[in-house]
């Protein structure tokens, strides 16, 4: 650099970039390339290039050089690593390890020990996830749709189909975990017991994951069904008119003597007694 500064730049002025580039080419060919170079044992750089290096020279890259920013990131428990304001997923095998991140205006690449392990499109902020980076069991859960749950329930039995249908009837995407839990009980308690537990949960009117799990935990899937209440399956507060006041306690009524006293008192008040005498005014009116 000192040689280029002193030999080419010092004392020169250029009015345009094109003039400067043309002058630089002439200087490289006629001045710098013909000088006796000490590192080359006094040989001229242009002569060495023509004799040894010209034949091995490769063409320029077809794409322009892309500037990149390198950083280091830690893969967290959620298999994501943070670069800038964005977190990107990393294959689960690298959980808890440090990785090198190469960021360009369009792509973010992650390397571990020099090996490329993940590539994402650049995102200004937020979260970028590739579900193939999750463990196999997690991928299987995320790929399961409501149709898959219904098909799997049909392999167990009609009662299980009904329970899954009840769970996925409303907000199916938010209740996939509950359906996953019901079907998962088949692996722990066998499909036969799960079908019986689903039937039991339907009989008691609560086809939910918690009820099915509780029935299996208590081993109550083989208990006889509860006796019919005669209400046609109505809710607990609808027992019909015959039972509306079944639990009302009647109040005690007054006795006969008290009623007689009240009757005689009323008669004495309304009629005249035997001791009453007609007053003169009363007689005149009569």
């Amino acid at each position: 650099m000192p040689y280029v500064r002193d030999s080419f730049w010092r004392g020169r002025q250029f009015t345009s970039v094109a003039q400067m580039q043309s002058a630089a080419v002439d200087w490289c060919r006629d001045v710098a390339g013909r000088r006796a170079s000490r590192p080359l044992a006094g040989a001229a750089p242009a002569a060495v290039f023509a004799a040894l290096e010209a034949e091995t020279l490769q063409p320029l890259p077809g794409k322009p050089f892309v500037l990149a920013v390198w950083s280091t990131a830690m893969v967290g428990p959620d298999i994501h690593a943070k670069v800038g304001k964005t977190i990107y997923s990393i294959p689960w095998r690298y959980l808890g390890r440090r990785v090198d991140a190469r960021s360009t205006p369009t792509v973010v690449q992650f390397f571990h020990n020099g090996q490329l392990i993940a590539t994402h499109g650049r995102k200004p902020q937020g979260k970028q996830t590739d579900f193939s980076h999750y463990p196999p069991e997690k991928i299987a859960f995320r790929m399961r749709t409501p149709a898959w749950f219904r098909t799997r329930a049909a392999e167990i039995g009609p009662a299980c189909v009904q329970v899954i249908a009840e769970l996925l009837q409303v907000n199916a995407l938010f209740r996939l975990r509950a359906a996953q839990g019901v079907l998962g009980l088949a692996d722990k308690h066998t499909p036969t017991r799960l079908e019986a537990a689903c039937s039991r949960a339907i009989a008691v009117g609560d086809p939910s994951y918690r009820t099915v799990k509780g029935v299996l935990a208590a081993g109550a899937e083989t208990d006889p069904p509860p006796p019919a209440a005669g209400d046609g399956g109505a809710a607990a507060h609808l027992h019909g008119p015959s039972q509306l006041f079944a639990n009302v306690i009647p109040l005690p009524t007054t006795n006969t003597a008290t009623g007689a006293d009240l009757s005689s008192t009323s008669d004495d008040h309304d009629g005249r007694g035997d001791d009453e005498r007609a007053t003169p005014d009363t007689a005149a009116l009569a």
Side-chain angles (χ1 to χ4, degrees):
M1 291 300 298
Y3 172 68
V4 175
R5 180 193 61 201
D6 296 336
S7 178
F8 177 68
W9 292 102
R10 188 182 298 275
R12 297 191 180 192
Q13 293 183 351
F14 303 99
T15 59
S16 65
V17 175
Q19 181 189 4
M20 181 183 65
Q21 292 174 339
S22 178
V25 171
D26 295 339
W27 176 83
C28 289
R29 182 182 62 247
D30 300 332
V31 179
R34 295 179 181 274
R35 81 186 191 280
S37 178
R38 184 181 304 174
L40 298 177
V48 175
F49 173 78
L52 301 176
E53 299 176 349
E55 296 181 354
T56 60
L57 189 65
Q58 297 180 357
L60 293 174
K63 297 180 179 180
F65 180 76
V66 178
L67 293 176
V69 177
W70 288 84
S71 60
T72 303
M74 174 69 73
V75 183
D78 60 347
I79 69 167
H80 285 74
K82 186 175 183 180
V83 177
K85 297 182 179 181
T86 310
I87 57 176
Y88 300 90
S89 64
I90 309 295
W92 64 275
R93 296 181 298 275
Y94 301 95
L95 184 68
R97 300 184 184 181
R98 285 196 172 274
V99 295
D100 298 319
R102 177 179 179 271
S103 304
T104 70
T106 57
V107 176
V108 176
Q109 297 173 305
F110 291 91
F111 297 83
H112 183 261
N113 293 335
Q115 299 295 323
L116 179 64
I117 60 175
T119 302
H120 292 275
R122 181 71 178 270
K123 190 174 183 179
Q125 61 183 0
K127 185 177 183 180
Q128 188 86 339
T129 302
D130 184 349
F131 291 120
S132 65
H133 292 162
Y134 281 97
E137 62 275 12
K138 299 295 183 180
I139 298 174
F141 172 74
R142 290 186 175 274
M143 295 301 292
R144 290 172 181 174
T145 61
W148 183 93
F149 285 106
R150 294 187 179 94
T151 303
R152 180 69 180 92
E155 298 174 359
I156 298 176
C160 186
V161 171
Q162 185 173 346
V163 170
I164 296 299
E166 290 286 343
L167 289 174
L168 302 182
Q169 186 174 5
V170 180
N171 293 331
L173 296 180
F174 297 96
R175 306 183 72 181
L176 290 180
R177 188 170 296 276
Q180 171 78 5
V182 171
L183 296 179
L185 294 172
D187 299 330
K188 185 177 181 180
H189 300 284
T190 73
T192 303
R193 289 193 61 193
L194 175 59
E195 173 66 11
C198 289
S199 179
R200 177 71 175 173
I202 295 171
V204 300
D206 186 18
S208 64
Y209 165 71
R210 180 178 297 181
T211 300
V212 174
K213 181 180 179 181
V215 169
L216 289 171
E221 70 274 6
T222 58
D223 292 347
D231 53 9
H237 61 281
L238 297 177
H239 296 291
S242 62
Q243 298 294 325
L244 184 59
F245 300 105
N247 296 329
V248 177
I249 301 175
L251 296 175
T253 59
T254 56
N255 54 37
T256 307
T258 305
D261 293 342
L262 292 175
S263 176
S264 61
T265 304
S266 177
D267 293 339
D268 291 343
H269 179 72
D270 294 338
R272 294 179 179 177
D274 295 338
D275 296 336
E276 282 186 315
R277 297 289 186 268
T279 61
D281 296 335
T282 305
L285 291 173

